[in-house]
Amino acid sequence: MEMRNFVKEKIAQNGYALGAFVASSSSMNCEILGLNGLDFVMIDCEHAETNSESIVHMCRASELYGMAPLVRVYDPDDGPMMSRMLDVGVHGIMAPLVGTPAQAKNLVDFTKYAPLGKRGANGGRGPRWGAYTNYIEVANYNCLSIAQCESLEGVRNIEEIASTPGLDVIFIGTGDLSLEMGISFRADSSANHSVEEPEIAAAINEILRVGQKHQVIPGIVTASAEDAARRIRQGFQFVTCMNDLGFFRSRSAQHIQRVRTLV
């Protein structure tokens, strides 16, 4: 039984991987997104209450359709939680607010085995209780380490962060980055109304440039189909296009208002 990396497979096939944040803790939402052909889901443990038992069910629902289940943890310095999430079977870890090379190294340490990192060997669901062939040897390639750059400190240190051995993806969080730059931000727009401001546009371009220079997959959050397509054409290869709860709220509001208007 071989372990696979659905994200890298989709990037090799199409040039990019398209995903969504899932804040609902819902395995059914994951299954629907997989059924609809999404490439990955980012299960949110930073701004949602998802627990490890729910994550296992969300992983199974995602894997059923060849969609990668990834998890965003709460604390970039909480290495043991990162390792635990991989042990229960997620395909990669996103650490928020990675602003220093030390935090990037911590992410790699707890998501990669030696010699790249310090993750402890285990026999849990991650390695399929020993059923995966050569899990220790292939896990460093197949388990994604994703650093979220969403602060001015992260932008200043992006060269050192991107050069961290074992780091797979740098993902730009435009919301927090906008706030720190003093640019107004509305949560229901996923921060994308502000990304054309010259200061944040320059930061995005620099992070993209440095990521490509160090052969780290560049990623970014978007809020619409048009914005996602624009970012992919720009060179981003790991792109989220929605948050499941935000999408449900906005689309259900449109639908309800449409009915009332017709009445």
Side-chain angles (χ1 to χ4, degrees), residues 27 42 81 98 101 108 124 130 167:
S27 59
M42 185 63 66
M81 182 182 181
V98 174
V108 171
L167 187 67

Side-chain angles (χ1 to χ4, degrees), residues 81-231:
M81 182 182 181
M82 301 178 197
S83 295
R84 185 182 181 214
M85 292 296 98
L86 291 174
D87 292 348
V88 302
V90 305
H91 292 204
I93 299 294
M94 176 186 284
L97 293 167
V98 174
T100 68
Q103 288 176 318
K105 181 63 166 60
N106 186 68
L107 167 63
V108 171
D109 277 347
F110 283 92
T111 55
K112 305 290 188 182
Y113 293 112
L116 283 176
K118 300 177 181 178
R119 182 184 171 196
N122 75 97
R125 185 179 181 275
R128 295 302 189 270
W129 306 279
Y132 273 146
T133 304
N134 301 323
Y135 178 79
I136 297 294
E137 288 77 12
V138 302
N140 281 358
Y141 174 83
N142 287 305
C143 293
L144 294 175
S145 302
I146 307 162
Q148 192 166 8
C149 183
E150 49 186 345
S151 68
L152 290 174
E153 181 182 40
V155 176
R156 287 193 298 269
N157 293 323
I158 191 61
E159 191 80 41
E160 293 81 3
I161 290 170
S163 63
T164 304
L167 187 67
D168 297 296
V169 181
I170 293 178
F171 184 85
I172 304 173
T174 55
D176 284 336
L177 188 55
S178 298
L179 287 173
E180 193 165 334
M181 290 179 173
I183 301 169
S184 62
F185 163 65
R186 286 174 48 209
D188 61 354
S189 68
S190 296
N192 286 281
H193 72 289
S194 63
V195 297
E196 297 304 329
E197 293 287 342
E199 187 177 6
I200 193 169
I204 289 170
N205 289 335
E206 176 64 6
I207 296 166
L208 174 61
R209 182 192 70 80
V210 173
Q212 291 173 331
K213 170 186 173 182
H214 291 279
Q215 298 183 318
V216 176
I217 297 168
I220 196 168
V221 60
T222 70
S224 67
E226 293 76 13
D227 197 42
R230 179 171 67 92
R231 291 305 186 191

